[in-house]
Structures are given as structure tokens and as C-alpha cells.
């Protein structure tokens, strides 16, 4: 009787070992996705799948100073909304302001030009008088030539004075530009998200950023879609996105699909543009996207029953059962 029991137990053990590959193959055929809420594993019909992601600002800008120097003032705080062209910070500009004042005064100087114009008028009058005398055979030819040369020289001096006036105006424009560059301007409408420097700190070429500006009127929802499911998403698709923090669904448009595959996760990055002019959506919120096209499940068995996927980019041999989750 004991021999029969041992034979029966041994048979059960052999059947259990033989069933392990079939069980592992069934697990692998069921499919697994870290990105999808519902994994593909149906034969025929359609599947409703959504993808988890998060939101980011449409633009995230590090606004930097274009000059080096000591920071004189920061005119904004975190959370302030600024418009394009607003002065958000200013470097010390005393030297540049004095240079502008001097250049402006020089640009207004016109004494040399007035003297040159008067001399030109005098030389022209003298030439006309000598020409009249020469017509009466009273003036000598060399006097007439000398008067003509003096008139040409006077015109050249007047031209040189006018060129100096123009040069001083250009110098004024250059100094005014240097003065404007001491101000840090907002490049577009947005919200101040972070301050990097306080008044009194020195701005260096290695660390020129003063504030971080984010544009929140529009957001991007970023989703990682498995490569085998990317056919469900196309550029321009109108999709539904559920915002976890706001607790509501919004409409979005697929703005970009990455051309490459992330080798570690086997996914493709998809960005969905979301309208946020009302300001009720926050950057960094978790969200879920439902694609516009349902997927028709056609799950085909794997070609090798000895191998199953245990994670993105990782394969394990079923012979090493201890390495499988």
C-alpha cells in the first residue's frame, strides 16, 4: 500500500513540473504594459485603453541677464504674472547711465558744423566775386583757381563736421543699447516660477539665469505609449484627458509623437496640447489620456515558449524560474 502511495505522489510531482511551461506561456500571452491601465489580452473585438502621464508648461524658460555685474533689483516674486517686455530685474547701471548722458550731450553739439557751413558760404561768395572780376579781365587766373580750391576745401570740412555729428549720434545709440542691456526683460507672457538670484548678488557668465518663467496658458500632457499600441495615436487627433488634480476631463490635441523608441521602456513619447486659458489646470498634475481610436485586439502567441517579458527591455529564460516575478 505504501508503494502505491509513493508512485502516486511521484506522478503528481511529474505532472506539476510539466505544467510549469504552459502556465508561464499563458502569462506571457496575456501581455503586460506598465503604461496602459488595461493590458491587451483579448482575442478579437476592441479594447479601451488609456495611458497615464503628467502635464508640463508649454514653455519653461530660464530668463538670463545678457551682461555681467551686480544685481541691483529684482522686481518680481514667485507667482507673479508678467507680460512680454516687462522689466523683471536690473543690474547696476550707473556707469552706463553716465556714458549715455555724455554721449547725448556730445550728439547735441553743432558748433563745428555751423562754423564749417559759414566758411563754405564765405568761400563760395569769394569765388563768385573773383569770377565776376575775371569776366572783366580784372582778376588773375591764379587767384580764381585759389578761390575755387578754398571753396572745395570748405565744403570738405563741412562734410567732415556733418559726419562727426552722425558718428556722435551712433555712439549715443550704442551707449543707450548698453544701458538697456542692464535690464532683464520678460521674453513672453508667463508666470514667475522661481528666483535664482537676490539683489546684491553678482551675475557671472557661468550662472546668468535670474528667474524661471513658465507659460501656463497652454500645457502639454506627456504620455509614454507602448510601441505596439502607437498606431492608435496620430498627429492632430482629438483626445480626452482626465486631470487627476482638477478632477475633470478636458479635450486635447496630439501635438507631437517622438520619432524614436525609448529602449528601456519600449515606449514612444506623445505630447498632447491642452488649453488652459482659464488657469484651472496645474503643471505637473497626473493625467490619463484615452486615445481617439479603440484598438482591435489580435494577440498572437509568442514564437518561443521558453522566454517571457518581465519588464521593459528585460527578458528571462523560463528555465530560471527563480528570476521570474
Amino acid at each position: 500500500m505504501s508503494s502505491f502511495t509513493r508512485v502516486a505522489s511521484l506522478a503528481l510531482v511529474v505532472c506539476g513540473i510539466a505544467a510549469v511551461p504552459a502556465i508561464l506561456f499563458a502569462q506571457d500571452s496575456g501581455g503586460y504594459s506598465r503604461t496602459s491601465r488595461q493590458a491587451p489580452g483579448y482575442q478579437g473585438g476592441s479594447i479601451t485603453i488609456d495611458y497615464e502621464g503628467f502635464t508640463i508648461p508649454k514653455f519653461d524658460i530660464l530668463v538670463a541677464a545678457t551682461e555681467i555685474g551686480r544685481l541691483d533689483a529684482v522686481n518680481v516674486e514667485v507667482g507673479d504674472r508678467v507680460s512680454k517686455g516687462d522689466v523683471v530685474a536690473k543690474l547696476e547701471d550707473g556707469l552706463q547711465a553716465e556714458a549715455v548722458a555724455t554721449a547725448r550731450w556730445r550728439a547735441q553739439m553743432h558748433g563745428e558744423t555751423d562754423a564749417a557751413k559759414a566758411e563754405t558760404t564765405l568761400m563760395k561768395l569769394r569765388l563768385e566775386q573773383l569770377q565776376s572780376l575775371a569776366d572783366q579781365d580784372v582778376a588773375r587766373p591764379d587767384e580764381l583757381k585759389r578761390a575755387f580750391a578754398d571753396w572745395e576745401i570748405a565744403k570738405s570740412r563741412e562734410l567732415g563736421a556733418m559726419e562727426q555729428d552722425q558718428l556722435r549720434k551712433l555712439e549715443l545709440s550704442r551707449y543707450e543699447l548698453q544701458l538697456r542691456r542692464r535690464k532683464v526683460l520678460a521674453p513672453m507672457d508667463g508666470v514667475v516660477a522661481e528666483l535664482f538670484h537676490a539683489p546684491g548678488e553678482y551675475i557671472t557668465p557661468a550662472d546668468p539665469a535670474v528667474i524661471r518663467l513658465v507659460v501656463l496658458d497652454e500645457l502639454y500632457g506627456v504620455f509614454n505609449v507602448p510601441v505596439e499600441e502607437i498606431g492608435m495615436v496620430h498627429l492632430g487627433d482629438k483626445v480626452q484627458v482626465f486631470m487627476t488634480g482638477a478632477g475633470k476631463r478636458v479635450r486635447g490635441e496630439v501635438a507631437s509623437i517622438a520619432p524614436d523608441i525609448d529602449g528601456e521602456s519600449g515606449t514612444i513619447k506623445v505630447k498632447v496640447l491642452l488649453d488652459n486659458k482659464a488657469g484651472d489646470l496645474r503643471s505637473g498634475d497626473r493625467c490619463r489620456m484615452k486615445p481617439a481610436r479603440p484598438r482591435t485586439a489580435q494577440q498572437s502567441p509568442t514564437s518561443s515558449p521558453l522566454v517571457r517579458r518581465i519588464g521593459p527591455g528585460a527578458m528571462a529564460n523560463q528555465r530560471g524560474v527563480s528570476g521570474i516575478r
Side-chain angles (χ1 to χ4, degrees):
M1 187 67 178
S2 60
S3 300
F4 177 78
T5 302
R6 287 197 298 270
V7 171
S9 300
L10 181 59
L12 290 175
V13 171
V14 172
C15 292
I17 295 176
V20 170
I23 294 173
L24 296 178
F25 172 73
Q27 292 177 347
D28 187 57
S29 299
Y32 175 71
S33 173
R34 295 175 57 187
T35 309
S36 304
R37 288 180 61 235
Q38 299 181 11
Y42 303 94
Q43 188 69 29
S46 62
I47 314 170
T48 301
I49 301 178
D50 55 6
Y51 306 100
E52 295 184 355
F54 57 93
T55 58
I56 61 173
K58 184 177 182 181
F59 296 105
D60 193 334
I61 308 167
L62 297 180
V63 183
T66 55
E67 299 280 341
I68 63 173
R70 194 176 74 89
L71 194 61
D72 186 47
V74 178
N75 303 326
V76 294
E77 297 290 343
V78 174
D80 288 350
R81 181 172 290 274
V82 298
S83 301
K84 181 178 180 180
D86 287 352
V87 179
V88 298
K90 186 180 72 169
L91 302 176
E92 283 187 339
D93 58 359
L95 182 62
Q96 288 76 16
E98 287 296 328
V100 168
T102 302
R104 183 175 290 114
W105 185 80
R106 286 173 54 86
Q108 295 173 356
M109 295 170 53
H110 54 82
E112 294 181 1
T113 304
D114 293 345
K117 289 181 178 180
E119 185 178 6
T120 301
T121 302
L122 178 62
M123 292 297 104
K124 183 179 180 180
L125 179 60
R126 182 170 180 270
L127 176 61
E128 291 174 350
Q129 291 176 348
L130 286 176
Q131 184 66 49
S132 177
L133 293 175
D135 293 341
Q136 300 174 11
D137 294 332
V138 176
R140 298 194 304 270
D142 57 332
E143 291 180 340
L144 184 61
K145 292 179 181 179
R146 180 61 186 176
F148 181 78
D150 291 341
W151 180 54
E152 292 290 336
I153 294 172
K155 289 195 299 182
S156 298
R157 289 175 179 172
E158 180 183 356
L159 178 60
M162 295 174 63
E163 291 173 345
Q164 287 295 324
D165 290 344
Q166 185 65 29
L167 183 60
R168 285 192 287 266
K169 291 179 181 179
L170 293 176
E171 288 178 350
L172 174 60
S173 298
R174 185 184 66 178
Y175 287 124
E176 289 176 340
L177 176 60
Q178 291 177 353
L179 179 61
R180 290 195 300 269
R181 286 170 62 89
R182 305 298 289 182
K183 299 177 181 179
V184 183
L185 307 179
M188 59 181 62
D189 299 348
V191 179
V192 178
E194 191 173 356
L195 302 179
F196 297 111
H197 293 285
E201 295 184 1
Y202 196 84
I203 303 298
T204 64
D207 187 19
V210 179
I211 69 168
R212 175 170 164 252
L213 184 70
V214 294
V215 178
L216 301 178
D217 292 340
E218 290 180 311
L219 301 176
Y220 280 125
V222 181
F223 306 92
N224 293 318
V225 179
V227 63
E228 61 270 13
E229 300 171 9
I230 196 62
M232 301 167 57
V233 182
H234 295 83
L235 283 176
D237 279 356
K238 304 296 182 181
V239 297
Q240 288 188 357
V241 179
F242 178 77
M243 308 301 298
T244 304
K248 67 176 185 178
R249 292 186 180 276
V250 295
R251 296 283 293 176
E253 180 179 347
V254 177
S256 68
I257 300 176
D260 56 342
I261 303 172
D262 182 54
E264 293 185 0
S265 63
T267 59
I268 296 176
K269 182 179 292 186
V270 175
K271 287 186 177 181
V272 176
L273 186 63
L274 307 172
D275 184 26
N276 190 34
K277 290 184 173 60
D280 52 355
L281 306 180
R282 287 185 175 271
S283 174
D285 191 8
R286 305 297 300 182
C287 55
R288 297 196 302 270
M289 176 191 68
K290 180 179 294 185
R293 298 172 176 81
R295 177 185 176 187
T296 301
Q298 296 292 338
Q299 186 69 34
S300 59
T302 181
S303 58
S304 176
L306 297 180
V307 180
R308 77 182 282 265
R309 186 181 303 276
I310 61 174
M315 302 295 292
N317 194 310
Q318 288 186 358
R319 295 172 183 171
V321 178
S322 60
I324 300 177
R325 184 178 54 173

